[in-house]
Amino acid sequence: MSHPGETVSRERLLEEVWGWSFHTSTRTVDTRVAELRRVVEVDSADPQLVVTVPGEGYRFVGTVEAG
């Protein structure tokens, strides 16, 4: 969310968020993104904030406001 509009690969999320090298399955990321969508999306089946970029990863397209 600190870089809205930037596409982030599953591998980068594994490394940056969890500190894991790419020795594990990137499905871990997909599972966590699905959980995140259930919390932040109006309809997690039709995501508008955390979108999948096929073949690349995920992109946050919502508005971020400093609080």
Side-chain angles (χ1 to χ4, degrees), residues 15-36:
E15 188 175 313
E16 296 290 329
V17 176
W18 290 283
W20 297 345
S21 297
F22 186 54
H23 300 294
T24 188
S25 169
T26 57
R27 297 299 299 169
T28 300
V29 175
D30 299 336
T31 301
R32 297 299 179 217
V33 168
E35 291 172 355
L36 176 65

Side-chain angles (χ1 to χ4, degrees), residues 33-51 59-61:
V33 168
E35 291 172 355
L36 176 65
R37 284 177 172 158
R38 283 192 290 274
V39 173
V40 302
E41 297 283 358
V42 172
D43 178 3
S44 63
D46 183 28
Q48 302 298 307
L49 298 173
V50 181
V51 297
R59 179 180 304 142
F60 178 75
V61 294

